[in-house]
Amino acid sequence: MASVTIEAEPTSLAIDLQKTALIIIDMQRDFLEPGGFGETLGNDVSRLAVAVEPCRAVLDAARRKGLLVIHTREGHRPDLSDAPPAKVERGIPSLRIGAPGPMGRILVRGEPGHDIIPALYPAEGEPVIDKPGKGAFYQTELELMLRNRGIENLLVCGVTTEVCVNTTVREANDRGYRCIVLSDCCASYFPEFHAAGLAMIKAQGGIFGWVSSSKAVLAAID
Ligand code: C5J
């Protein structure tokens, strides 16, 4: 596969698709559907739906082109031994991490709410990274997987823009990856945080990475 040029801000950039992975952050029922972790924190979860179709278009194209596709899920072991007390203690006790909810125990691995939404469900063979924190590199095998595959560039999609997407992009940037965040494939419960989260990435000549869109990426790779 040849190198392609992606229109992005603050600059367009040329990437080798063989060294590029698509990473889809935390498109889980717990964040996107009513009754999950996102809603227990007082959020309007319908605000994240806008990212699903653009994400799906990029996911389909990435699969067609044979790009490495990696999915992540935020969540904890059923005994919560990997959940810091400071994280669990937040919020109303009956709605905290590990409490029972309509989609099973909140943010617990193996529960229905922890799973990825059907529209973006991982295909056979696509790695799924289970992460206990906001960043996808923290206490996971992500970096090892990327290094073993010779990946240098990440197309980043998912939720939420200012939390797990931003944290992962910052972690990746420090590890030397070029991160291209697809603005319409990300979403936040707070539109102003979505905008600020993207602005922070591309400011100062692209201090953490680049911001592009599904349309630009599809035009370049498909
Ligand atoms: C949050 C995430 N917002 N995936 N997690 O707690 O962004």
Side-chain angles (χ1 to χ4, degrees):
M1 258 184 286
S3 151
V4 297
T5 299
I6 312 266
E7 289 300 319
E9 293 180 285
T11 59
S12 56
L13 77 162
I15 56 168
D16 179 346
L17 291 181
Q18 273 176 333
K19 297 180 179 173
T20 301
L22 170 65
I23 179 161
I24 304 183
I25 310 279
D26 300 0
M27 292 298 273
Q28 296 162 253
R29 299 184 64 200
D30 252 321
F31 294 106
L32 285 109
E33 294 186 16
F37 183 58
E39 194 173 74
T40 66
L41 297 175
N43 297 304
D44 173 2
V45 294
S46 69
R47 294 201 161 171
L48 303 190
V50 67
V52 174
E53 275 314 308
C55 249
R56 193 150 117 148
V58 172
L59 176 59
D60 287 347
R63 285 174 175 160
R64 277 198 300 276
K65 293 290 167 187
L67 263 66
L68 174 64
V69 175
I70 296 181
H71 306 259
T72 74
R73 300 186 295 201
E74 181 181 347
H76 298 282
R77 291 168 176 261
D79 64 3
L80 303 188
S81 56
D82 61 348
K87 183 178 182 186
V88 178
E89 283 160 11
R90 291 176 219 180
I92 305 163
S94 61
L95 298 175
R96 287 177 182 169
I97 294 167
M103 293 192 288
R105 293 179 66 207
I106 292 166
L107 219 60
V108 168
R109 293 180 192 164
E111 300 288 341
H114 179 259
D115 214 350
I116 291 172
I117 59 168
L120 300 173
Y121 210 75
E124 183 82 27
E126 289 174 355
V128 178
I129 299 283
D130 278 322
K131 61 190 184 66
K134 305 303 181 193
F137 288 85
Y138 175 66
Q139 300 288 347
T140 73
E141 293 169 333
L142 177 59
E143 187 169 9
L144 182 61
M145 281 186 191
L146 297 176
R147 297 261 178 244
N148 287 342
R149 294 283 294 256
I151 299 296
E152 297 177 0
N153 316 303
L154 299 176
L155 299 172
V156 187
C157 301
V159 296
T160 59
T161 316
E162 78 280 14
V163 184
C164 291
V165 171
N166 244 268
T167 306
T168 298
V169 165
R170 290 168 189 231
E171 288 179 329
N173 180 63
D174 277 349
R175 287 166 173 80
Y177 296 96
R178 294 179 198 91
C179 294
I180 305 162
V181 180
L182 309 190
S183 56
D184 55 331
C185 299
C186 299
S188 169
Y189 303 119
F190 305 92
E192 66 277 24
F193 292 172
H194 174 74
L198 297 174
M200 285 178 197
I201 289 164
K202 68 185 177 187
Q204 303 179 68
I207 194 119
F208 296 122
W210 288 258
V211 175
S212 185
S213 65
S214 60
K215 193 171 160 218
V217 166
L218 293 173
I221 75 171
D222 221 3

